Amino acid sequence: MSTPSATALAWAAADPYDAALRAGRGPLFLRRTDGWLLPLEVERWCAGADPVDRDVLDRCEGAVLDVGCGPGRLVAELAARGRAALGIDVSEAAVEHTARLGGQALRRSVFEQLPGEGRWDTVLLMDGNIGIGGDPRALLERVAGLLRPGGLLIAETVAADVDERVRVHITDARATTGEPFPWARLGTRALLGYARGWERAGQWTAGGRHFAALRSRSSRTASSRAEPPKRTAVISSQRARNTSAGRPVADR
């Protein structure tokens, strides 16, 4: 049976994914087992933060964890603003690209141990990353454990009213690597249906993209929507260590 870690291993071992990030362009797809292809927007991910992205970042509060940060445009934009931010991604190419842009990133899955668990002010699940692991309830539970009480989750959802759990490969339409792994596609209504125990903090559409904001339990704020930050939390000092793969990463 596939597990969230199987998803991480599939992305980490996907040569087409790493190659696309290093080239800054596609084509790149998630291929469903029935042959259906979901295009991945590599060019947009590898560009700088666009106006829609920047609006999302204006709504972030305090220290921000970008889950599945990809090539790091959001982490780099936050760093340029002087905000405390960390990206995580299972792809070595993604982490390297983020560092080149001036952002901090670790090569890890969201389901592994992470710095600052239970103390992040905002977690981002952008660019379809609400699908990580193929189990929205498990992912939301994990994110709740990463956030401080009352912390903010901002997730990008599918434009269509969809609630789909599938098995996919990563492919550039020429090479397909590894075993299929679980993925999910959620519209806003489906996401809100899974978010039991969360407080709704807003939903909006911009540039053809759809977003929802949720607050974790025990909110300490009266805000009814995701607002621009009123403070900037500071990530504590980090030191370098080596992973089992011998790559230096930041840890606490």
Side-chain angles (χ1 to χ4, degrees):
M1 179 176 179
S2 294
T3 64
S5 60
T7 303
L9 289 171
W11 283 96
D15 292 338
Y17 179 62
D18 271 17
L21 293 191
R22 290 193 166 101
R25 62 182 183 274
L28 193 68
F29 307 89
L30 293 182
R31 183 196 297 274
R32 209 162 57 188
T33 52
D34 63 3
W36 179 84
L37 294 174
L38 173 67
L40 301 179
E41 299 182 78
V42 177
E43 290 84 357
R44 180 171 65 80
W45 299 348
C46 289
D50 63 23
V52 176
D53 295 328
R54 292 193 291 271
D55 175 68
V56 169
L57 300 183
D58 288 344
R59 299 169 187 260
C60 293
E61 301 170 350
V64 181
L65 179 67
D66 184 7
V67 173
C69 66
R73 73 188 192 283
L74 304 179
V75 178
E77 174 67 19
L78 287 165
R81 298 181 181 194
R83 299 287 302 281
L86 177 69
I88 59 168
D89 202 286
V90 296
S91 162
E92 182 176 7
V95 171
E96 290 174 350
H97 197 284
T98 302
R100 285 197 299 273
L101 294 179
Q104 292 189 71
L106 301 181
R107 188 182 181 189
R108 291 189 199 170
S109 161
V110 67
F111 294 101
E112 295 181 86
Q113 184 176 356
L114 296 172
E117 296 206 11
R119 299 194 298 276
W120 291 98
D121 298 296
T122 303
V123 169
L124 295 175
L125 286 170
M126 299 281 280
D127 304 324
N129 286 327
I130 190 64
I132 290 172
D135 185 341
R137 285 194 178 92
L139 181 58
L140 287 171
E141 181 178 353
R142 174 57 176 148
V143 170
L146 295 171
L147 286 165
R148 63 169 175 81
L152 184 68
L153 165 64
I154 299 179
E156 185 169 355
T157 58
V158 176
D161 185 11
V162 62
D163 183 358
E164 181 181 58
R165 301 190 195 191
V166 295
R167 297 182 66 80
V168 295
H169 286 94
I170 303 165
T171 179
D172 59 6
R174 299 183 300 273
T176 299
T177 61
E179 295 296 318
F181 60 91
W183 195 253
R185 297 176 67 240
L186 300 182
T188 298
R189 184 166 72 171
L191 171 61
L192 296 177
Y194 286 115
R196 296 178 181 177
W198 293 77
E199 297 177 12
R200 299 185 185 187
Q203 59 188 82
W204 67 97
T205 301
R209 296 162 63 191
H210 294 249
F211 303 91
L214 300 168
R215 285 199 182 279
S216 61
R217 298 178 182 89
S218 304
S219 176
R220 293 195 291 263
T221 176
S223 173
S224 62
R225 68 179 293 275
E227 297 286 356
K230 297 179 175 62
R231 64 184 179 88
T232 300
V234 178
I235 299 175
S236 66
S237 60
Q238 299 180 336
R239 59 183 174 82
R241 71 173 178 87
N242 286 329
T243 65
S244 57
R247 298 190 67 255
V249 297
D251 199 0
R252 298 201 194 197

